[in-house]
Amino acid sequence: MSRRRQIYEGKAKILYEGPEPGTIIQYFKDDATAFNAQKKGTISGKGVLNNRISEHLFTLLGTIGVPTHFIRRLNMREQLVRQVEIVPVEVVVRNVVAGSLAKRLGMEEGTPLPRTIIEYYYKDDALGDPMVTEEHISAFGWATQEEMHDIADLAIRINDFMAGLFAGVGVRLVDFKLEFGRLFEGDYSRIILADEISPDGCRLWDMKTSEKMDKDRFRLDLGGEVEAYQEIARRLGLLPEGVVGAVLDLDEHRKSRGK
């Protein structure tokens, strides 16, 4: 059996050449990083959960007309996706004050925003992914104004859908990160959703307790990362009720740690 060719390895995923032209195999790792990879660790089983959660969300978004790179899940850790040219801009959609927004503006975390805010960050680890404006993006040719209009429109549609979806299972969608790519069709290209959507790139809080159910548990040394990811999967209907070891109580976990 021939060894498949690795195209790229990032912090949380590895990309391999796909079985057909124009396809990529996306492999989800258990590696966890924070603060621009200054903090590193492993969350056992994270890749399996993220693969399943991202598949579920991308599939649902596809049913409401959001174009995505997702084709199908191959196994527990891999999915087949369309090959795209990634726009080098991270799109962050915010509904509630948290993370860097709270620090930058000196605002209390958890404060609801009067309206959804979209922020853009230039994808460059060496520079720490600096925040940029649409003027920077256009001036430096990272994306055209028409592409940015499409990106902003899609980001709002995705936020509206996901906020409702998570609210329906008792989870507040605080903020999340998106990446987009150009899918080439002949001489033309169009913007589609790429990368992944999972607790790695979303802030997800329990609506009753404000318990963090995302990678902030790793960032802030709260523990219970696997339990949090599993609980999100369970609430989305991706893990059956009553599975031993799959549904763990975060409150009990915190008490056991004396916090």
Side-chain angles (χ1 to χ4, degrees):
M1 188 166 116
S2 62
R3 183 182 178 88
R4 60 187 179 181
R5 186 170 69 89
Q6 180 176 317
I7 297 173
Y8 171 80
E9 181 169 2
K11 298 170 186 172
K13 290 183 294 298
I14 303 174
L15 301 182
Y16 296 98
E17 189 174 61
E20 301 170 359
T23 64
I24 296 288
I25 294 173
Q26 186 167 254
Y27 174 92
F28 288 75
K29 303 193 294 184
D30 285 347
D31 294 0
T33 62
F35 312 116
N36 198 27
Q38 293 180 32
K39 179 178 181 179
K40 298 180 181 180
T42 300
I43 303 174
S44 180
K46 175 176 76 76
V48 173
L49 289 163
N50 282 352
N51 184 24
R52 188 71 181 89
I53 292 169
S54 190
E55 172 205 13
H56 181 66
L57 295 175
F58 271 63
T59 299
L60 291 177
L61 288 168
T63 65
I64 66 165
V66 173
T68 81
H69 74 162
F70 179 78
I71 299 174
R72 66 179 182 275
R73 182 164 57 91
L74 298 174
N75 52 51
M76 291 179 68
R77 287 187 179 270
E78 296 178 332
Q79 54 184 235
L80 186 68
V81 300
R82 296 175 180 86
Q83 185 172 16
V84 298
E85 179 182 87
I86 292 291
V87 176
V89 176
E90 284 188 356
V91 180
V92 175
V93 183
R94 299 186 182 273
N95 300 308
V96 178
V97 175
S100 63
L101 181 62
K103 294 176 182 177
R104 288 199 312 267
L105 302 183
M107 299 179 69
E108 184 178 355
E109 187 169 80
T111 304
L113 290 166
R115 59 181 292 271
T116 298
I117 292 174
I118 301 179
E119 297 176 343
Y120 303 108
Y121 296 82
Y122 178 50
K123 283 173 57 64
D124 189 312
D125 288 343
L127 298 176
D129 298 335
M131 188 176 179
V132 295
T133 67
E134 287 192 49
E135 289 295 315
H136 294 105
I137 296 167
S138 176
F140 297 124
W142 299 327
T144 67
Q145 289 186 336
E146 182 179 357
E147 287 175 330
M148 289 308 298
H149 289 155
D150 290 343
I151 285 172
D153 288 346
L154 286 170
I156 291 298
R157 285 183 64 194
I158 293 166
N159 181 60
D160 288 346
F161 177 79
M162 292 213 323
L165 176 70
F166 279 113
V169 294
V171 176
R172 177 173 290 110
L173 180 61
V174 173
D175 58 40
F176 61 101
K177 165 183 85 68
L178 297 172
E179 292 191 23
F180 294 89
R182 298 180 184 92
L183 179 64
F184 286 91
E185 298 167 329
D187 295 331
Y188 301 93
S189 68
R190 61 188 175 106
I191 291 293
I192 68 172
L193 179 64
D195 195 44
E196 66 172 299
I197 300 177
S198 73
D200 265 13
C202 302
R203 281 193 173 89
L204 303 167
W205 296 355
D206 183 272
M207 294 187 80
K208 292 182 179 178
T209 66
S210 293
E211 187 80 55
K212 291 176 171 60
M213 307 170 72
D214 53 68
K215 201 170 76 170
D216 268 353
R217 303 199 69 83
F218 171 75
R219 291 188 188 97
L220 305 175
D221 294 319
L222 299 176
E225 298 93 347
V226 175
E227 294 90 338
Y229 283 51
Q230 289 173 336
E231 179 63 12
I232 291 298
R234 185 190 69 79
R235 293 198 191 187
L236 290 173
L238 306 177
L239 284 178
E241 296 281 354
V243 175
V244 176
V247 183
L248 300 177
D249 190 303
L250 287 175
D251 189 52
E252 289 300 318
H253 173 87
R254 189 172 62 252
K255 288 178 182 176
S256 71
R257 287 170 56 90
K259 295 185 178 181

